[in-house]
Amino acid sequence: MKIILNGTEEVCPGHESLTDLLNRKETATDRLVIEQNGLIVPRDEWARVQVRSGDTIEVIRLVGGG
């Protein structure tokens, strides 16, 4: 299936949760926000929310600064 991940088209395996996607991309999960199709997904739902063909997913890393 195809998704848009951070503005880039990507082919993903089927039946993958947001947590699975992060693990496959070897992305550390601390200080992240995930937006799926324009809606922020709460962290406690990442393992239950499935990635679907055609999804637009933005993975945003929060950075502190001053």
Side-chain angles (χ1 to χ4, degrees):
M1 74 179 163
K2 291 183 183 177
I3 65 169
I4 303 296
L5 178 61
N6 291 342
T8 303
E9 187 174 284
E10 182 169 320
V11 176
C12 295
H15 300 88
E16 182 174 54
S17 70
L18 292 172
T19 299
D20 295 334
L21 173 66
L22 294 175
N23 289 337
R24 185 171 53 80
K25 300 299 281 181
E26 298 179 358
T27 302
T29 60
D30 58 317
R31 304 181 76 177
L32 289 184
V33 174
I34 298 179
E35 181 183 285
Q36 182 181 35
N37 301 320
L39 300 173
I40 293 175
V41 180
R43 180 179 294 272
D44 62 347
E45 294 181 19
W46 290 359
R48 292 188 305 268
V49 174
Q50 295 295 304
V51 176
R52 296 176 308 273
S53 185
D55 278 353
T56 298
I57 298 172
E58 295 291 328
V59 179
I60 303 152
R61 181 163 311 279
L62 302 175
V63 179

